[in-house]
């Protein structure tokens, strides 16, 4: 993989290229400093305070977040969705075409290998307002964007015209989506409920995402947890 990336990088930089492949698009995105919103320390602080306010109001301070609390934590759900939209763990999904077909005017011959660019679909500027900005509010019911959180994830995706596909879609869509969502909400909920955090280098925080087949950050985020409330103690 390193060799393929290197070859594309060399060809791109020396202008020796007559065709553009998906790898080139991914490399361009990695190079473009405007392609990724850089969340500031203050931006993250405001977001975390909003999450803590919701958790305190809905769950309280004397018990941990539980599964049955999740439907009432709309902002937490919106943050998880917006994170998966901007940073899908698998930015590409793969298919093989079983018969000749035409999609959007493009003829796709039988047996073609297809790579679906989940990253680009989730940030399609025709579907998303300010597509490269982290705006969890877009998923809230009153956002006016018709992307509101719905109990039936697959139905919601269909209505959104498949513009939000962090778990892929169709028959080979991720079968672990429900489990992943449950674990993400509960884990993130408990972490934010119980801890504040000190971010190393918060003043020049950079959320830039690297190129590649998993969504690693270019600059790893290092946080130190600071106990905020301990519901396990408060309960006794
Ligand atoms: C945040 C967590 C996760 C994300 C973002 C994610 C995303 C994805 C994506 C994009 C695909 C490809 C779907 C497609 O080609 O249409 C996939 C496939 C798959 N995922 Fe996940 N996944 C997650 C968690 C999980 C978990 C927890 C499990 C199992 C417990 C799981 C099991 C699978 C399996 C077995 C496939 C292959 C399905 C097939 O080829 O038919 N995933 N996942």
């Amino acid at each position: 993989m390193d060799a393929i990336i290197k070859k594309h990088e060399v060809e791109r930089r020396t202008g020796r290229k007559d065709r553009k492949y998906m790898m080139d698009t991914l490399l361009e995105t990695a190079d473009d400093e405007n392609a990724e919103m850089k969340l500031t320390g203050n931006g993250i602080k405001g977001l975390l305070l909003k999450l803590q306010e919701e958790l305190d109001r809905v769950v309280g301070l004397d018990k941990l977040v539980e599964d049955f609390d999740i439907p009432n934590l709309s902002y937490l759900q919106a943050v998880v969705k917006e994170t998966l939209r901007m940073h899908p763990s698998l930015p590409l999904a793969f298919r093989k075409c079983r018969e000749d077909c035409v999609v959007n005017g493009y003829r796709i011959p039988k047996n073609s290998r297809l790579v679906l660019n989940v990253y680009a679909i989730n940030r399609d500027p025709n579907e998303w307002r300010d597509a490269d900005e982290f705006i969890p509010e877009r998923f809230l019911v009153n956002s006016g964007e018709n992307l509101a959180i719905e109990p039936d994830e697959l139905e919601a995706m269909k209505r959104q015209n498949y513009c939000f596909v962090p778990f892929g879609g169709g028959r080979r869509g991720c079968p672990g989506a429900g489990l992943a969502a449950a674990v993400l909400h509960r884990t993130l909920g408990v972490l934010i409920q119980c801890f504040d955090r000190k971010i190393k280098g918060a003043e020049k925080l950079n959320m830039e995402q690297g190129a590649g087949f998993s969504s690693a950050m270019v600059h790893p985020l290092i946080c130190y947890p600071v106990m905020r409330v301990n519901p396990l103690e408060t309960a006794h």
Side-chain angles (χ1 to χ4, degrees):
M1 182 53 63
D2 281 350
I4 296 174
I5 293 177
K6 204 164 185 172
K7 178 171 171 278
H8 281 259
E9 255 174 348
V10 170
E11 286 178 355
R12 225 160 44 87
R13 294 195 201 291
T14 52
R16 279 191 283 121
K17 217 156 194 24
D18 49 353
R19 294 176 71 175
K20 192 163 159 183
Y21 294 86
M22 183 172 295
M23 177 64 78
D24 302 310
T25 308
L26 289 173
L27 289 170
E28 271 169 25
T29 310
D31 276 356
D32 179 358
E33 54 184 36
N34 296 315
E36 185 70 26
M37 187 186 80
K38 316 251 178 319
L39 265 183
T40 62
N42 281 342
I44 286 212
K45 222 174 179 175
L47 191 126
L48 290 171
L49 283 176
K50 221 166 157 179
L51 281 171
Q52 280 176 341
E53 183 279 320
E54 182 183 67
L55 285 158
D56 291 353
R57 183 168 37 82
V58 174
V59 183
L61 300 175
D62 53 4
K63 73 171 199 52
L64 286 173
V65 181
E66 297 195 47
D67 289 338
F68 59 77
D69 292 313
I70 306 301
N72 300 321
L73 294 165
S74 332
Y75 196 64
L76 176 65
Q77 291 183 60
V79 167
V80 168
K81 287 208 156 160
E82 183 65 340
T83 307
L84 288 170
R85 183 187 74 81
M86 288 195 72
H87 306 285
S89 324
L90 280 181
L92 303 171
F94 301 88
R95 292 288 183 277
K96 184 174 170 187
C97 201
R98 291 199 309 183
E99 51 193 66
D100 290 338
C101 61
V102 178
V103 178
N104 227 3
Y106 292 92
R107 196 179 66 79
I108 303 176
K110 184 177 171 176
N111 291 331
S112 305
R113 297 259 171 207
L114 299 176
V115 182
L116 307 175
N117 191 340
V118 171
Y119 182 93
I121 295 170
N122 283 0
R123 291 179 183 228
D124 183 350
N126 296 319
E127 300 286 350
W128 302 94
R129 188 166 46 84
D130 300 324
D132 289 327
E133 291 194 25
F134 191 88
I135 310 176
E137 285 75 8
R138 66 172 95 245
F139 285 105
L140 297 179
V141 178
N142 57 4
S143 70
E145 290 211 32
N146 196 25
L147 296 163
I149 292 148
E150 312 234 359
D152 187 331
E153 195 74 37
L154 275 182
E155 278 306 309
M157 275 194 199
K158 280 184 207 156
R159 254 195 305 290
Q160 289 158 18
N161 205 14
Y162 285 102
C163 63
F164 178 65
V165 283
F167 293 107
R171 261 201 261 178
R172 302 302 297 263
C174 177
L179 175 63
V183 173
L184 282 172
H185 289 122
R186 187 99 182 255
T187 313
L188 191 66
V190 168
L191 282 175
I192 290 171
Q193 178 190 28
C194 299
F195 298 99
D196 286 318
R197 65 237 89 233
K198 269 177 70 173
I199 302 174
K200 190 175 176 189
E203 60 292 337
K204 49 179 178 137
L205 194 58
N206 188 335
M207 303 295 284
E208 199 177 332
Q209 182 179 311
F213 290 102
S214 67
S215 303
M217 293 172 75
V218 175
H219 309 280
L221 181 65
I222 300 175
C223 294
Y224 305 99
V226 181
M227 182 64 85
R228 175 177 172 259
V229 290
N230 184 350
L232 298 178
E233 259 178 15
T234 334
H236 299 298

